Amino acid sequence: MHEYVIETDCLDIELVEPQIKYAEDIWNFRQKIINNDANSEDQFAGCGCLGKCNSVEEWIRICKLRNSEETCNEGGTTVPSDMYLAVRKSDDRIVGIIDLRHHIDHPILGTWGGHTGYSVRPSERRKGYAKEMLRLNIKNARALGIKKMLVTCDETNKASELTIISNGGIFEKSIEVEGTMIKRYWIDLKKVGEDG
């Protein structure tokens, strides 16, 4: 079992929309994920199409298209979503990327995709950033009017499971998706405190 160290600066992050000023860091983040998580099917969880885009500009354009019901189809999806960079305030560095789907009225999202996915920069893992990213994204979900969030993880991903549970996730059930067991958790936004 891994030991998880919570750093004192892990709360010093904010979620911001993708911006061109972070272009170099976004592309660096992308490369670190490619290098570190090459064998993971979920290597770009919560990052939209970052792994398939040829430039940061293309990714930002697609993220903006996906923000609304009217334009999300042009962005390659039928469910609108918001994308956020998790930026550490002390050095303005991206520590992770997280998305928020406006609803899960979709066969994949309603079954195992859920309302949100996230990836943490490999060098910043096991420091508590995913927990704080999800906590901040719960606030975004509440602002959108979402009452309950479905958040899922692979049965073997104990770090993600702890992140979900620490943010009020209640286990519903495990399901099998293409040979992988996925755990479904619900976060009741009426029961989770306003501060997360």
Side-chain angles (χ1 to χ4, degrees), residues 110-174:
T111 304
W112 60 269
H115 281 95
T116 190
Y118 42 86
S119 291
V120 175
R121 186 187 291 265
S123 62
E124 303 295 347
R125 292 176 183 167
R126 296 187 181 92
K127 297 179 181 180
Y129 287 115
K131 178 181 175 181
E132 180 65 1
M133 287 163 58
L134 182 55
R135 187 186 75 82
L136 293 172
N137 215 22
I138 287 170
K139 291 182 175 186
N140 293 332
R142 189 180 285 117
L144 267 181
I146 296 170
K147 305 290 185 217
K148 286 180 79 174
M149 282 180 79
L150 174 62
V151 188
T152 66
C153 65
D154 285 7
E155 204 168 61
T156 58
N157 190 340
K158 296 301 178 193
S160 190
E161 184 176 15
L162 289 172
T163 293
I164 297 166
I165 291 169
S166 69
N167 275 286
I170 304 297
F171 177 72
E172 179 196 46
K173 64 181 178 180
S174 291

Side-chain angles (χ1 to χ4, degrees), residues 4 14 35 51 70 79 126 131 138-139 151 162 169 175 191:
Y4 297 94
E14 60 184 339
N35 293 346
E70 292 75 32
V79 176
R126 296 187 181 92
K131 178 181 175 181
I138 287 170
K139 291 182 175 186
V151 188
L162 289 172
I175 58 170
K191 291 183 179 176

Side-chain angles (χ1 to χ4, degrees), residues 11 28 40 49 53 72 82 86 98 122 138 144 146 149 176:
L11 301 180
N28 179 270
S40 171
C49 58
C53 287
C72 66
D82 298 317
I98 190 167
I138 287 170
L144 267 181
I146 296 170
M149 282 180 79
E176 186 176 341

